[in-house]
Amino acid sequence: MSDVLSIVLKRLGLGLITLLVISILIFFAVELLPGDIAQAVLGQGATEENLKALREQLGLNQPAIFRYLEWLGGAVQGDFGVSLISGRSVAETIGPRFAATLFLASYAAVIAVPIAILLGIIVALLRDSIFDRVANVLTLTSISSPEFFLGYVLILYLAVKNPWFPALANVNFQDIGTVELYYRTFLPALTMVLVVVAHMMRMTRASIINLLASPYIEMARLKGTPAWKVIVKHALPNAWAPIINVVALNLAYLITGVVLVEVVFVYPGIGQLLVDSVTKRDFPVVQACCLIFAATFILLNLAADVGAILTNPRLRHPK
Amino acid sequence: MSDKYRDDLIDRMAVEAKRGRLSRRDFMHYAMAAGVTASAAGGLWTSKAALAAPKRGGTFRLGTHDGNTSDTHDPGTYLSFSIIQLAHTYRSYLTQITPTNELGPDAAASWSATDDATEWTFKLQKGASFHSGKPFTADDAIASLNHHRGEKSTSAAKALLKDVTDIVKDDEHTITVKLATGNADLPWLMTDYHLAMCPANSDGTIDWQSGDGTGPYKIVHNEFGVGTKLERHDGWHGEGAYFDAVEMTVLNDPNARQTALVTGEVDGITQLELKTLSLLQRNPNILVDNVPSGAAITMPMFCDVAPFDNVDVRMALKLAIDREDIIKKITFDTAIPGNDFHISPNMPYWPDLPQRTYDPDKAKFHLKKAGQENLTVDLSTADSVYSGAVDMCVLYAEHAKAAGININVNREPNDGYYSEVWLKKPFCMVQWGARPTPDVMLSLAYKDDAAWNESHWQNERFNELLLQAKAELDQEKRAEMYREMAQLARDDGGTIIPMFTNFVYARAKNVAHGENLAASWQMDGARACSRWWFDS
């Protein structure tokens, strides 16, 4: 186990360096965008005079490198600064929105992951049957449609034509009960489930089928083990590594790639916050959102690698 | 026609009128057509059909477009449509534009000017108070206006108040605004959405951060870019505020907005998608308000660049556009034709000049006079200017072919259109929001030395009149000046104004409003929350 621990520590250290590089990239990418925060805030009402006053007030007169170092100095101490526009602390601005995104992502993941793996196993078992074909066609169709389109289709059939679910998921976490919360956010969660299931299901299917030609599987069959047991007991343990990788990638997607779902269902998540902040060139908020996304990918990738190692003794003892 | 049938008809019309779908004029017209005498029809209107008295109660849920997480309470940086709707609900202004597009009192009860219009005195409402309970006084009004003045001010309304030299307190409820040059429109300028009244701090700045205001509703819970809950402010100085509470939700996606209204999750929405307008109108539970406004589409031509430096070429291009066709095909009948001067019928001092119509033969005549037969011009546009802008220019190019003009439509990138194309390319397409008075609009984009003189038009007589009219308090003389200026812009100016676009928004059928809707902003001048009510 100490091997695993040292891998984790090494990867976390590398992760921190990655975050630093990303923060530099993001800062200068925002700098490269045409126009600055003062122009974005004042819009059509911008004149030379009030632009100058606003830039002075926001401290935009200092050179970019100086502003970056100032931000970095705060960030290493855990202070991500204040939003340039609202003046609220970044943590306070992002906190509730990120919590909302995490909630929706977990809601979708709890439905999607078991369904995908179970379906993957079943279609591997019944491969080339009608069931296999239908499941493949349906999941591939849903992954091939853009998520806003899936969202619209679900709204049309499950909210407008049959008023079973609300079309808006504009939840306010303070004043609704848990059941109501799950009910109101069901359609966006379902949209995300449909988007991610296909990828995970097909990876499960492919990695299991890949192993079915191995000699030890043939051995298991020859000794008379039932087909489902061959797959679950013999094939699946060796197939975990690629499946875990794909699951981790999709979990990261559920957190970082759902802006369109948020817009369609009016869900107050972090994606919309990021888009608004980029439009207004509100650098501290953009930076914090991007670092959260980057950290999500780093941590989930790390989790995937650790998972793969734990499920495969050969990787635990490299020669 | 039997009496029974006629009575049924009148009853049905009365129901429609009560819901605001039939105007008094139409009601009289149809009633007389059904055989009722004029005086009897007038009586029927008052007894049966006149709008029901407003009722109090209920929570009005409004879905608004263009809301951002980055919106703030600072009135100097108000920009998005959502915040403009909210601003008129929790804050108030010195004056307001009424549903009939006249100037009315809000936080100021009355106002008067010196003869040269260089000093304006505003008497404030005596009973007005902030949501915190603090009374509204002259100090608050002065600090609120000064927020947009001075070197340190970051306000977008700074240019609007640049002629103000001083604001003094006469007594607790009277202020005087002093101007460098006379401006008869100053009370109209006070309706600008930036100039909201906020509580003053002791050092003369304002406390905008708290979100306090003197408006009809006070904020209970607010998250910018998501939504706001408000409840009635009992000490409000105005008339209305019939709803007990208001919930505004930011619904940026047009489909989300319309679905929310169709499924009954909100009671009203701003900005409909015009392409699906006819489908939404078929829904019996939804009422669409299609309100002509002062917002315009313009096509400025640089008057100092060939071939637009020739007035006959400009005239030919004005005659070669079929406005009716564009309004029908591009806007789905949600616009009114422009007449090549920038005063809409919904603005004060609108002169009723003959409407310019599509006339390719006359256009050819002018081209011949200019020696520019087979004229070819480039027209720049982008879809971000107006939904369907590129299609509109292509349609215009088709119209112009009949006059022998070849228009190349250049589609420019959406991003940066107003910094890279507008004021840079000699012939392009622009959208303008509504401005309260002709002077504001013409000084901004038609005055000889204005930074935004988008057509580079220089006309001595026009500019002379513009300055005279600005300080003229005699309404009749002033109207006559604007008529002459409109005529000059129409026949000599460098801007084609194909149309003024309507505000198109919708409400559930149980939401009622008065007979007229203000043309200054969407949702009855952004004051739907305090002017409208639940019918049942």
Side-chain angles (χ1 to χ4, degrees):
Chain A
M1 279 319 270
S2 66
D3 293 344
V4 176
L5 201 67
S6 80
I7 290 176
V8 169
L9 288 177
K10 219 184 285 169
R11 294 285 293 273
L12 283 179
L14 280 174
L16 281 179
I17 296 174
T18 315
L19 287 182
L20 182 71
V21 173
I22 287 173
S23 79
I24 296 173
L25 286 179
I26 300 290
F27 181 85
F28 289 99
V30 174
E31 283 292 306
L32 280 179
L33 289 174
D36 68 355
I37 182 169
Q39 280 169 320
V41 165
L42 291 170
Q44 226 195 6
T47 59
E48 282 301 317
E49 259 181 83
N50 57 12
L51 279 178
K52 192 168 152 254
L54 190 58
R55 281 184 187 135
E56 205 153 294
Q57 192 188 316
L58 295 171
L60 295 179
N61 294 336
Q62 297 163 331
I65 185 83
F66 186 80
R67 278 182 284 133
Y68 174 74
L69 289 176
E70 200 176 49
W71 172 84
L72 189 66
V76 290
Q77 295 167 40
D79 172 16
F80 286 86
V82 293
S83 156
L84 291 179
I85 288 171
S86 66
R88 282 163 60 193
S89 85
V90 168
E92 199 187 321
T93 310
I94 291 184
R97 306 291 285 257
F98 187 54
T101 294
L102 273 187
F103 166 78
L104 192 61
S106 336
Y107 188 5
V110 165
I111 302 174
V113 174
I115 287 184
I117 293 177
L118 204 66
L119 263 181
I121 294 172
I122 295 173
V123 294
L125 194 64
L126 306 171
R127 65 185 177 284
D128 299 333
S129 68
I130 289 289
F131 181 78
D132 181 24
R133 298 268 160 78
V134 170
N136 268 311
V137 167
L138 287 183
T139 51
L140 280 177
T141 310
S142 70
I143 201 178
S144 312
S145 325
E147 54 263 69
F148 68 86
F149 177 71
L150 278 179
Y152 285 157
V153 170
L154 291 181
I155 287 178
L156 180 62
Y157 287 102
L158 301 180
V160 178
K161 294 210 165 168
N162 307 295
W164 295 332
F165 294 97
L168 295 185
N170 57 336
V171 288
N172 194 331
F173 284 95
Q174 285 148 5
D175 53 10
I176 58 171
T178 320
V179 179
E180 171 83 11
L181 183 63
Y182 284 108
Y183 172 67
R184 289 203 74 91
T185 50
F186 181 73
L187 286 188
L190 183 60
T191 311
M192 285 154 67
V193 166
L194 290 175
V195 172
V196 295
V197 155
H199 198 187
M200 294 188 285
M201 182 202 94
R202 288 185 54 85
M203 185 51 90
T204 309
R205 178 182 183 272
S207 48
I208 289 176
I209 288 177
N210 210 13
L211 287 168
L212 289 183
S214 325
Y216 79 97
I217 295 289
E218 200 164 342
M219 176 65 205
R221 277 213 200 99
L222 288 176
K223 73 180 184 192
T225 319
W228 67 268
K229 219 171 178 180
V230 170
I231 286 182
V232 176
K233 284 228 151 166
H234 297 265
L236 195 57
N238 272 317
W240 273 126
I243 296 175
I244 289 175
N245 261 316
V246 168
V247 169
L249 267 184
N250 278 294
L251 290 184
Y253 175 78
L254 285 179
I255 293 175
T256 61
V258 292
V259 177
L260 292 177
V261 176
E262 286 177 11
V263 170
V264 167
F265 291 99
V266 197
Y267 185 79
I270 198 170
Q272 191 59 49
L273 177 69
L274 176 61
V275 173
D276 284 352
S277 308
V278 172
T279 320
K280 285 284 153 74
R281 321 284 191 248
D282 192 351
F283 156 74
V285 180
V286 175
Q287 186 74 282
C289 289
C290 290
L291 288 184
I292 287 178
F293 288 169
T296 306
F297 268 100
I298 291 172
L299 289 177
L300 283 169
N301 267 319
L302 177 60
D305 287 352
V306 171
I309 291 170
L310 291 180
T311 55
N312 189 341
R314 268 176 300 179
L315 289 176
R316 241 184 289 163
H317 306 286
K319 278 178 193 150
Chain B
M1 193 183 285
S2 76
D3 284 356
K4 170 90 178 65
Y5 180 76
R6 192 162 66 202
D7 289 350
D8 278 355
L9 195 72
I10 298 285
D11 284 344
R12 280 214 303 279
M13 275 160 42
V15 171
E16 292 296 297
K18 269 193 181 136
R19 293 202 173 129
R21 278 193 280 211
L22 199 65
S23 70
R24 178 173 192 276
R25 188 175 155 173
D26 287 341
F27 179 88
M28 299 282 287
H29 181 82
Y30 294 135
M32 288 195 293
V36 182
T37 64
S39 60
L44 279 171
W45 171 262
T46 18
S47 64
K48 284 194 161 175
L51 287 166
K55 290 183 194 131
R56 283 168 85 85
T59 298
F60 182 56
R61 298 161 304 165
L62 175 65
T64 60
H65 73 289
D66 185 27
N68 296 296
T69 317
S70 45
D71 290 336
T72 71
H73 282 307
D74 180 359
T77 57
Y78 280 169
L79 183 64
S80 72
F81 282 94
S82 278
I83 198 79
I84 291 168
Q85 293 290 333
L86 181 64
H88 288 84
T89 309
Y90 79 113
R91 284 183 169 150
S92 56
Y93 297 81
L94 285 182
T95 55
Q96 66 171 318
I97 292 174
T98 65
T100 46
N101 294 320
E102 286 154 316
L103 193 67
D106 190 355
S110 63
W111 47 91
S112 59
T114 52
D115 286 343
D116 57 355
T118 54
E119 281 188 26
W120 281 91
T121 302
F122 291 86
K123 295 227 175 275
L124 306 181
Q125 299 274 7
K126 287 217 167 100
S129 66
F130 286 97
H131 302 154
S132 61
K134 181 175 122 61
F136 169 68
T137 64
D139 291 326
D140 302 310
I142 292 172
S144 299
L145 293 179
N146 280 341
H147 181 63
H148 310 277
R149 300 177 55 228
E151 204 175 315
K152 288 228 163 109
S153 170
T154 58
S155 168
K158 209 167 169 174
L160 198 68
L161 298 183
K162 72 173 190 305
D163 285 343
V164 176
T165 52
D166 199 12
I167 305 176
V168 293
K169 175 177 170 178
D170 300 336
D171 62 49
E172 269 309 290
H173 291 99
T174 314
I175 64 167
T176 296
V177 180
K178 297 184 176 169
L179 300 165
T181 54
N183 187 349
D185 280 344
L186 189 81
W188 285 91
L189 298 188
M190 293 299 151
T191 64
D192 183 90
Y193 62 91
H194 297 100
L195 307 181
M197 295 297 117
C198 301
N201 293 322
S202 51
D203 64 350
T205 58
I206 51 165
D207 166 27
W208 55 261
Q209 292 87 346
S210 63
D212 199 0
T214 53
Y217 291 88
K218 60 179 172 218
I219 292 178
V220 180
H221 179 81
N222 175 47
E223 200 174 328
F224 288 113
V226 179
T228 313
K229 282 186 181 173
L230 307 104
E231 60 186 37
R232 192 191 288 125
H233 169 42
D234 285 323
W236 187 48
H237 55 266
E239 226 177 276
Y242 303 111
F243 303 116
D244 292 336
V246 171
E247 276 178 33
M248 286 195 193
T249 309
V250 173
L251 302 173
N252 286 325
D253 184 52
N255 181 69
R257 247 182 350 262
Q258 288 179 195
T259 310
L261 184 64
V262 170
T263 56
E265 286 176 70
V266 293
D267 306 305
I269 55 169
T270 59
Q271 186 90 350
L272 301 183
E273 175 74 48
L274 300 180
K275 284 179 184 133
T276 53
L277 184 62
S278 59
L279 295 171
L280 201 64
Q281 273 169 330
R282 265 191 252 156
N283 188 322
N285 297 316
I286 288 170
L287 301 175
V288 172
D289 290 306
N290 188 350
V291 186
S293 80
I297 301 289
T298 66
M299 293 164 139
M301 310 173 263
F302 282 179
C303 295
D304 50 1
V305 170
F308 309 115
D309 54 353
N310 188 319
V311 65
D312 284 299
V313 169
R314 301 203 290 267
M315 184 57 92
L317 284 161
K318 287 174 183 171
L319 286 164
I321 186 165
D322 187 344
R323 296 153 213 256
E324 293 296 337
D325 195 38
I326 284 174
I327 289 171
K328 204 166 126 213
K329 289 180 179 147
I330 305 292
T331 75
F332 305 95
D333 289 321
T334 62
I336 51 174
N339 203 5
D340 301 332
F341 57 88
H342 209 141
I343 306 174
S344 123
N346 300 289
M347 278 157 84
Y349 310 111
W350 173 71
D352 190 6
L353 301 178
Q355 172 66 46
R356 175 161 289 141
T357 49
Y358 179 50
D359 194 338
D361 292 331
K362 213 164 157 196
K364 268 187 192 157
F365 163 79
H366 282 282
L367 284 180
K368 201 167 173 188
K369 203 169 145 201
Q372 289 275 8
E373 284 141 311
N374 303 318
L375 176 73
T376 298
V377 292
D378 291 339
L379 171 60
S380 295
T381 184
D383 265 331
S384 60
V385 175
Y386 179 75
S387 157
V390 175
D391 292 344
M392 175 177 155
C393 291
V394 171
L395 191 58
Y396 174 30
E398 288 301 313
H399 298 152
K401 262 186 201 151
I405 304 172
N406 184 20
I407 298 178
N408 296 322
V409 178
N410 288 346
R411 185 189 194 133
E412 309 279 354
N414 284 338
D415 194 36
Y417 183 84
Y418 284 100
S419 53
E420 304 302 324
V421 178
W422 180 56
L423 301 179
K424 303 241 163 89
K425 298 279 167 90
F427 190 23
C428 70
M429 184 174 164
V430 184
Q431 183 175 35
W432 284 93
R435 295 298 191 282
T437 63
D439 180 65
V440 177
M441 190 61 235
L442 301 177
S443 301
L444 197 60
Y446 297 86
K447 194 169 182 291
D448 46 7
D449 58 354
W452 288 352
N453 180 359
E454 54 180 10
S455 64
H456 299 187
W457 184 45
Q458 309 286 337
N459 184 303
E460 220 173 292
R461 176 69 183 151
F462 177 90
N463 285 292
E464 188 188 312
L465 283 167
L466 187 60
L467 290 181
Q468 277 178 23
K470 185 168 187 166
E472 181 59 65
L473 286 169
D474 183 324
Q475 296 301 319
E476 263 176 50
K477 275 193 199 157
R478 205 168 186 223
E480 194 42 53
M481 291 177 189
Y482 283 120
R483 166 179 284 273
E484 193 182 339
M485 283 153 76
Q487 188 79 50
L488 286 170
R490 180 179 180 271
D491 298 336
D492 182 63
T495 308
I496 305 173
I497 304 185
M499 61 193 178
F500 292 97
T501 53
N502 293 5
F503 292 140
V504 189
Y505 42 87
R507 60 200 153 99
K509 72 168 180 197
N510 63 340
V511 179
H513 58 60
E515 198 181 338
N516 297 296
L517 293 168
S520 48
W521 288 102
Q522 296 205 19
M523 310 311 283
D524 207 350
R527 289 175 185 260
C529 297
S530 56
R531 287 179 181 166
W532 296 5
W533 63 91
F534 280 122
D535 198 16
S536 49

